[in-house]
Amino acid sequence: MSHNGKSGVRHATDMVTPYALTAKENAVHYAQQAGAHVAPMARKAATRAKHGYASQVVPRVARAKAAAGPARAQATVRSQAAMAALRGDVSVRDIKAAVRRRQRRARTGRMMRRVGMIGLVAGGAFAAWKWWSGQNSPDWMAEDSPATEVPQDSGEH
């Protein structure tokens, strides 16, 4: 009976093998077609993703780093100042003097910006006035007087 069992398996294998080979060939064919169709789309999607990353993410990260730079530097300075104060290297008097200096510099900077703006406005107003007065000046509207002849001396006195 074992002989019939082996022959039955061989017979079933012989019967199924052509179908399995055909299915394999069809699967390979469809996979190639799908690959030919999907690969350009995948490349296009990858290109779009790369372009989107380069055009959107990179500039945003750069802006965030640039914005964080001064804040990070200021936090470092403040933490170093706090550590110095905790160690006793800096007195309360030194800290108050530094704060006053900073406030004075800020006031001076604001004042200089205001003086600069006033100067720009005054200069612009002066330039506009000079232009306007030049437009309304009768000097450029006046006609030239006709040339006069100089009498020639005949030499008789």
Side-chain angles (χ1 to χ4, degrees), residues 81-115:
M83 288 303 294
L86 288 173
R87 284 192 309 262
D89 295 344
V90 180
S91 68
V92 174
R93 186 175 171 195
D94 294 339
I95 293 171
K96 287 182 180 179
V99 168
R100 281 194 305 272
R101 261 195 317 271
R102 189 167 194 272
Q103 289 171 343
R104 191 169 48 246
R105 285 182 185 151
R107 275 195 310 271
T108 304
R110 284 192 302 269
M111 185 184 68
M112 291 306 290
R113 282 192 295 274
R114 288 178 185 150
V115 167

Side-chain angles (χ1 to χ4, degrees), residues 62-72:
R63 283 193 304 267
K65 280 184 178 180
R72 184 178 59 202

Side-chain angles (χ1 to χ4, degrees), residues 15-95:
M15 294 297 289
V16 173
T17 301
Y19 294 111
L21 290 175
T22 304
K24 178 187 169 194
E25 289 171 4
N26 286 341
V28 168
H29 178 70
Y30 289 130
Q32 288 173 344
Q33 284 183 342
H37 181 68
V38 171
M41 291 171 43
R43 280 194 296 273
K44 196 180 291 184
T47 303
R48 271 194 238 131
K50 183 179 177 184
H51 177 69
Y53 174 78
S55 68
Q56 293 177 3
V57 175
V58 171
R60 287 182 184 174
V61 169
R63 283 193 304 267
K65 280 184 178 180
R72 184 178 59 202
Q74 190 175 41
T76 302
V77 168
R78 285 183 180 186
S79 65
Q80 289 171 350
M83 288 303 294
L86 288 173
R87 284 192 309 262
D89 295 344
V90 180
S91 68
V92 174
R93 186 175 171 195
D94 294 339
I95 293 171

Side-chain angles (χ1 to χ4, degrees), residues 133-144:
S133 67
Q135 296 295 317
N136 293 326
S137 173
D139 295 342
W140 69 274
M141 287 191 224
E143 293 182 18
D144 290 337

